[in-house]
Amino acid sequence: MAITFKVNGQSHTVDVAPEMPLLWVLRDVLDLKGTKFGCGISQCGACTVHLNGTPIRSCQRRASTLNGAEITTVEGLAPDGSHALQRAWEELDVPQCGYCQAGQLMSAAALLARNPNPSDEQIDAAMNGNICRCATYLRIRQAIHRAAELTASDNHSNKSGASR
Amino acid sequence: MTTTSTVDRRSFLRVTAIAGGGILLGSYFKILEPAEALAETGAAGEFAPNAYIRMTPDGLVTIIAKNPELGQGVKTMLPMIIADELDVEWKNVRIEQAPLDTTKFQAQSAGGSTATPTNWLPMRRVGAAARAMLVAAAAQTLGVAEDELTTEAGVVKHAKSNRSVAFTKLLDKAATLTPPALDTVKLKDPKEFRIIGSRVPGVDNHAIVTGTPLYGIDVAVPGMLYAVFQKCPVFAGKVVSANLDEIKAQPGVRQAFVVDGGTQLTGLLSGVAILADTWWLAENARRKLQVKWDEGATAEQSSTGFAAKAAELWTQPPHRTLRNDGDGGAAVQGAAKVVKAEYSYPFIAHATLEPQNCTARFADGKLELWAPTQQPAGGRRLVSQTLNIPEDQITVHLTRTGGGFGRRLNNDYMVEAAAIAKQAGVPVKLLWSREDDVTHDFYRPGGFHSFTGAVDASGKVIAWRDHFVTFGEGQSFAPSAQISPSEFPAHFIPNFTLDVSLIPLGVPTGFLRAPGSNALAFVMQSFIDELAHAAGKDPLQFRLDLLASESSTAPTLAGEPASRPGGPQPGGFDASRARGVLEVLRDRSGWGKTSLPAGTGMGVAFHFSHRGYFAEVVQATVSKAGEVKVDKVWVVGDIGSQIINPSNAENQAQGAVLDGIAETLGQEITIENGRAVQQNFNTFPLLRMRQAPPVDVHFHVTTSSPTGLGEPALPPAVPALCNAIFAATGKRVRGLPLSKQDLKWT
């Protein structure tokens, strides 16, 4: 069936089986390889993307439900890597193998969008569904705090810039 | 399935940018096209003194990373060593991943924590040789003696005349010089290192956080089909028949066929390949697949059967005695205390987060493979032998790998992809589902140890016997199921017996991060803990005392390395280094000085493996209902004189410790009816963020040559946690995982 939806701000129409999961529409139809396959049963979070701003497991979301949806993938977080989380991830050298990090970043981005300054407990609660097989959790936690700082400081300089 | 209209421009460019060779990889996938970059002669204006370095007049220094990157940081670390000795600025360095080319790069593998010890000097020399040529070129240009010149950050300086010349101005001249013999070049004084020893982020980090294709699973080749491959749930079972016609009629399916396989567990096994337009269509069709299997001779094997067999073997004389020092029987007779205990541990899976995959293209007798593998040369050899394609007709591109942990030292997925592509006549990307991965791993083998230990009235260990029931047949152990006759505490206890009995096994086993050690540290360091408590001693001091009791009279056995364990020098066990990390650990962890509430305890363990000495303290809390929470871990490691990249070193040590904790808490592969019961992360749990405690890492720098770090921090974490549980509850953990133990206390 033909489905029209937006990915990272761009409109796409794809003709796919209605039950094909969004993950595979992204990877194999639209050639957006940033979103990863880990388990296929919503256990690992490697396939996390945003649907209308909410983090979802794209391996569980059928294509037939996507008409009119707005999807954001890691490629759309900030293509130049300027999102505070991407900067923090690079600054703190978070990745080991790196395979889960797209999903980690998307879960973290959704967290920071609704809670700009989360506590450790809030971070753990928001991130517990994302597995990192290399166990970079300590740095992920640290980098989310760092991204919160970076965002606050960006906002501060934007505000002071505007007031001038 | 088709795509219509608005494919976004960026991905359109990606999939259509085909340069010359016709590989649909696009210019963004640079790591797959470095072959041209390796010409040692170099283009005009370039200086390419060896297979690793290419310097261009624009100031860029391209360094080739030779080994597979799986998250251990080697793609950053080895080039750091070259760049430091070359004396260029890291910001001007670009890294390219080498393809498999053992003529140029010799060993290109990732395993055994070997990259640092085997490459430390060679990579320094590679950089220093190029630097020496630039200095020689500068000497000619400036008309001065070479020994009056120094270098700094890409510039040659002549202090006497206050002149300097940039490397970029010397490239033409340097390119005309003969490279010096590598073993003659002068190396930096370590005090002068500027890149080595600094925190350098991973070179692929930017690509990772922006979702750039990097991994094997991201490879796309023009005209390729996506494949799934269904093997028999019982290992090496064979396809008798399958409903191929029905499968071929499923949406999007282009081909379906039986692949013939052998009986060698590490090789190509029989199965059904389904090829479709997308991977999901192939996977979806697989749900309809019905196969009649010949399950073979191992379909009766089970974990409970293995345990029953081990209990039976313990009552019988051992199949072999690997070591028998002193007279254990007499020592036990005269002992103040005798402790007997039986330990076991389960099979466990690797579960790399990127499932096994490989892309293959076979045309005109030539095979091209894109493989996330730890051992590309082994994969090429396996493919060559299985499919009868000469090795020189096989090209292997190394992709970034979404985790290895030893799983990808085996190359079954490579030979499967190659066989399917050859049979199908089209390029194929084979991708395993998670269920394929968990049920067709090369598992860490389970094992069973029956111990008898004895201490004298002074609390000294006087006898130790281990009857180890493991897997294998005749004289052969199953992969990773062996034990060294030198395994600690051999040589440190005067009456020491190591007996072994073997159970034949039809389950594939292999190398899991710190193979052997990840299980042996658990049983050895747990039983040592039992002896410490029997002796009424502090467990940390007890270990220090044991390490001080090395026997000068214990015989060196036939086949035992003169330096032991862990192979020839510089891997020989040095008890003073083990004591060193334990002593530092005592201070850092507050051992013996911390007052803890009921249900909370500290446990200690140390282990030597992969040339590294690690001692760890775990603090854990056990609820009265028996739930375990790890509160904190302290790690002290001695991996020699230089931590090459402290950022990655900390990452590796923390990751290895948390990996060990994950294994301990809940991981088990159960064999029933010859097959793995667990299939995915809902039954094979990986660690989650809430379970990750703070891990304090300290490297105790010594004078020894630097050694590797992918593995040796893992083994002590397992017994340190179990010993902490004993301290917290009085319950001794003699079987894993913890989720299967009754840890309730009152």
Side-chain angles (χ1 to χ4, degrees), chain B residues 98-438:
Chain B
L100 176 62
D101 185 340
T102 47
T103 309
K104 273 193 179 119
F105 303 109
Q106 291 84 47
Q108 288 178 273
S109 65
S113 298
T114 53
T116 298
T118 60
N119 290 296
W120 169 244
L121 267 182
M123 293 299 110
R124 290 181 68 190
R125 286 168 171 161
V126 160
R131 175 187 166 279
M133 292 168 76
L134 291 161
V135 168
Q140 291 181 17
T141 302
L142 299 175
V144 299
E146 285 179 33
D147 61 10
E148 292 179 3
L149 295 170
T150 58
T151 60
E152 193 183 321
V155 176
V156 185
K157 294 188 171 175
H158 187 244
K160 268 191 189 169
S161 63
N162 200 24
R163 288 181 296 169
S164 64
V165 51
F167 284 3
T168 51
K169 306 291 183 198
L170 297 165
L171 303 182
D172 280 332
K173 185 160 283 182
T176 66
L177 304 176
T178 306
L182 285 174
D183 57 357
T184 64
V185 294
K186 185 170 178 293
L187 300 175
K188 274 188 175 179
D189 183 323
K191 288 198 286 290
E192 296 167 13
F193 288 149
R194 292 178 310 112
I195 300 170
I196 295 168
S198 65
R199 295 178 76 92
V200 176
V203 293
D204 284 338
N205 281 358
H206 187 76
I208 289 167
V209 301
T210 52
T212 308
L214 280 171
Y215 301 87
I217 196 175
D218 301 335
V219 171
V221 170
M224 77 178 189
L225 295 176
Y226 293 80
V228 297
F229 187 52
Q230 178 66 49
K231 293 189 290 270
C232 181
V234 179
F235 308 99
K238 286 187 186 301
V239 179
V240 176
S241 61
N243 57 338
L244 295 178
D245 290 339
E246 187 184 350
I247 296 304
K248 285 177 197 163
Q250 296 302 310
V253 172
R254 298 300 183 94
Q255 297 191 40
F257 50 79
V258 172
V259 176
D260 291 331
T263 53
Q264 185 66 250
L265 291 174
T266 52
L268 180 64
L269 299 178
S270 170
V272 176
I274 304 172
L275 283 63
D277 291 327
T278 70
W279 185 77
W280 180 79
L281 286 168
E283 178 70 3
N284 198 45
R286 172 153 61 162
R287 281 169 211 159
K288 298 267 168 60
L289 180 64
Q290 291 173 354
V291 187
K292 187 178 176 211
W293 301 105
D294 171 3
E295 294 184 341
T298 60
E300 300 303 314
Q301 294 202 328
S302 69
S303 292
T304 49
F306 296 144
K309 184 70 183 170
E312 179 194 326
L313 288 168
W314 279 334
T315 66
Q316 298 169 5
H319 293 166
R320 276 192 274 162
T321 295
L322 297 187
R323 166 161 234 118
N324 192 18
D325 299 342
D327 183 346
V332 166
Q333 292 297 319
K337 277 199 178 157
V338 177
V339 182
K340 289 177 187 278
E342 292 169 358
Y343 281 76
S344 66
Y345 42 84
F347 290 76
I348 47 182
H350 298 78
T352 61
L353 201 59
E354 180 191 15
Q356 312 318 318
N357 68 86
C358 181
T359 302
R361 178 169 59 187
F362 182 75
D364 306 322
K366 290 181 193 297
L367 178 68
E368 203 167 1
L369 297 168
W370 289 263
T373 172
Q374 294 180 243
Q375 193 160 232
R380 184 174 60 186
R381 190 164 55 246
L382 174 65
V383 170
S384 169
Q385 289 168 355
T386 309
L387 301 180
N388 205 17
I389 303 168
E391 283 200 39
D392 61 7
Q393 300 298 301
I394 303 173
T395 304
V396 182
H397 303 279
L398 306 188
T399 65
R400 190 177 178 90
T401 295
F405 311 106
R407 171 61 181 85
R408 300 186 217 252
L409 289 164
N410 282 293
N411 291 299
D412 43 341
Y413 47 89
M414 280 177 81
V415 74
E416 288 172 6
I420 293 168
K422 190 169 178 230
Q423 196 163 338
V426 292
V428 165
K429 173 147 103 182
L430 169 70
L431 171 63
W432 289 19
S433 67
R434 176 58 55 195
E435 289 78 11
D436 291 329
D437 177 62
V438 175

Side-chain angles (χ1 to χ4, degrees), chain A residues 79-94:
Chain A
D80 61 355
S82 61
H83 190 285
L85 283 163
Q86 292 167 314
R87 282 146 60 203
W89 248 242
E90 288 198 53
E91 180 186 321
L92 296 178
D93 192 23
V94 170

Side-chain angles (χ1 to χ4, degrees), chain B residues 616-650:
Chain B
E616 296 168 15
V617 164
V618 168
Q619 182 182 312
T621 298
V622 184
S623 72
K624 288 190 174 169
E627 290 152 347
V628 177
K629 179 175 177 293
V630 181
D631 302 319
K632 185 164 182 182
V633 185
W634 291 263
V635 179
V636 178
D638 173 2
I639 51 168
S641 61
Q642 181 68 58
I643 304 302
I644 297 167
N645 184 354
S647 175
N648 184 56
E650 181 187 81

